[in-house]
């Protein structure tokens, strides 16, 4: 869907495509690639020789474009910027939640300012390497509409992607181990400063932060922070955002 009608220009092609995989109780193995272009819908399988190789190349180019523009830049860098700005605007320096989140969001605004000058500026790296034309704007607009809060709650993300049904899934296994560590850390920290629900309800700065987050992301499922369980999950989700960035950036092939 996001690549439908995209024209990257300069003789480049980004056809809408789907990769199909199967598992026989072990690792995922490629089963086919479905490409949609001017000729319609075509399916390629490992038995198609050179055509199979070309189909995989087309898919890899399309997948890498979506990965860099949407999964990497928009869904980690820009989402983290929303958290950094709302924290800075609503939580004083000595507020315990700002002290908790500050180190995890450090450098976000500087990195994104650099990205604005190098990556997403007209004629920048995104245009010359990935998209071209108005593709960048269209992909970012699609990603903005498609993003949901549940993507930050790693167990929910795993379930939504069907990864919990696989016998082997390193992304799931490593991610859940880190998520559990973050949750334990957050639970211990919150317990120090919010021993009961009444303490949370009296926190005016926290209410202001929750309101700004709701205004920015509420239409995409971001919850109102009105209870301790919700607070713990939101804090874990915010802290996990840099982890998600590591998963989509540092470990790229």
């Amino acid at each position: 869907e996001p690549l439908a009608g995209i024209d990257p220009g300069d003789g480049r092609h980004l056809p809408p495509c789907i990769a199909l995989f199967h598992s026989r109780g072990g690792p995922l193995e490629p089963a086919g690639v479905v490409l949609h272009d001017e000729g319609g819908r075509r399916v390629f399988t490992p038995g198609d020789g050179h055509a199979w190789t070309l189909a995989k190349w087309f898919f890899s180019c399309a997948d890498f474009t979506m990965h860099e523009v949407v999964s990497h830049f928009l869904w980690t860098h820009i989402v983290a910027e929303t958290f950094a700005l709302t924290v800075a605007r609503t939580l004083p320096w000595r507020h315990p939640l700002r002290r908790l989140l500050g180190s995890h969001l450090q450098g976000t605004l500087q990195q994104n300012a650099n990205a604005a000058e190098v990556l997403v500026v007209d004629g920048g790296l995104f245009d010359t390497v990935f998209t071209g034309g108005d593709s960048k704007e269209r992909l970012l607009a699609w990603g903005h509409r498609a993003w949901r809060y549940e993507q930050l709650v790693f167990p929910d993300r795993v379930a939504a992607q069907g990864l919990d049904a696989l016998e082997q899934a390193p992304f799931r296994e490593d991610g859940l181990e880190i998520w559990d560590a973050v949750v334990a850390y957050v639970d211990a920290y919150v317990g120090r400063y919010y021993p009961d629900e009444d303490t949370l309800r009296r926190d005016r700065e926290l209410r202001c932060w929750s309101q700004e987050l709701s205004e920015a992301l509420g239409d995409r499922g971001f919850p109102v922070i009105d209870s301790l369980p919700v607070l713990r999950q939101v804090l874990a989700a915010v802290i996990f955002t840099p982890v998600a960035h590591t998963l989509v950036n540092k470990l790229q092939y």
Side-chain angles (χ1 to χ4, degrees), residues 24-196:
R24 296 186 177 92
L28 286 176
E29 298 179 4
V33 171
V34 182
L35 295 180
H36 296 262
D37 56 18
E38 296 84 355
R41 174 179 177 272
R42 292 188 286 177
V43 180
F44 300 88
T45 65
D48 288 331
H50 292 305
W52 170 241
T53 300
L54 290 172
K56 290 191 292 183
W57 285 353
F58 272 106
F59 176 81
S60 293
C61 289
D63 181 58
F64 194 57
T65 297
M66 290 296 298
H67 176 94
E68 283 296 346
V69 178
V70 178
S71 300
H72 179 187
F73 177 72
L74 182 61
W75 287 351
T76 63
H77 280 258
I78 300 305
V79 169
E81 179 172 314
T82 301
F83 296 143
L85 287 173
T86 56
V87 165
R89 283 168 50 87
T90 60
L91 300 178
W93 278 105
R94 298 187 67 179
H95 194 284
L97 297 187
R98 181 158 182 173
R99 295 174 68 87
L100 170 67
L101 298 176
S103 61
H104 299 285
L105 299 171
Q106 185 176 4
T108 298
L109 299 183
Q110 295 90 330
Q111 289 285 352
N112 288 357
N114 293 336
E117 297 178 358
V118 177
L119 298 180
V120 297
V121 65
D122 288 343
L125 191 63
F126 277 9
D127 287 344
T128 56
V129 176
F130 300 117
T131 55
D134 66 347
S135 305
K136 171 184 62 190
E137 288 78 7
R138 293 180 61 176
L139 290 178
L140 289 173
W142 177 89
H144 181 72
R145 295 190 303 270
W147 185 88
R148 292 293 181 272
Y149 167 70
E150 288 76 12
Q151 293 173 229
L152 295 182
V153 182
F154 196 74
D156 293 348
R157 177 178 178 179
V158 165
Q161 293 179 335
L163 296 177
D164 51 354
L166 298 176
E167 183 174 340
Q168 299 181 28
F171 175 72
R172 174 198 67 203
E173 294 154 11
D174 294 347
L176 286 175
E177 187 172 349
I178 299 172
W179 172 264
D180 290 343
V182 170
V183 167
Y185 170 53
V186 166
D187 286 351
Y189 190 91
V190 169
R192 275 182 167 269
Y193 294 97
Y194 298 91
D196 51 47

Side-chain angles (χ1 to χ4, degrees), residues 149 209 213 222-223 225 229-239:
Y149 167 70
W209 183 48
L213 286 173
F222 207 96
I225 305 174
V230 173
L231 174 62
R232 294 188 187 100
Q233 187 187 76
V234 166
L235 293 176
V238 174
I239 292 174

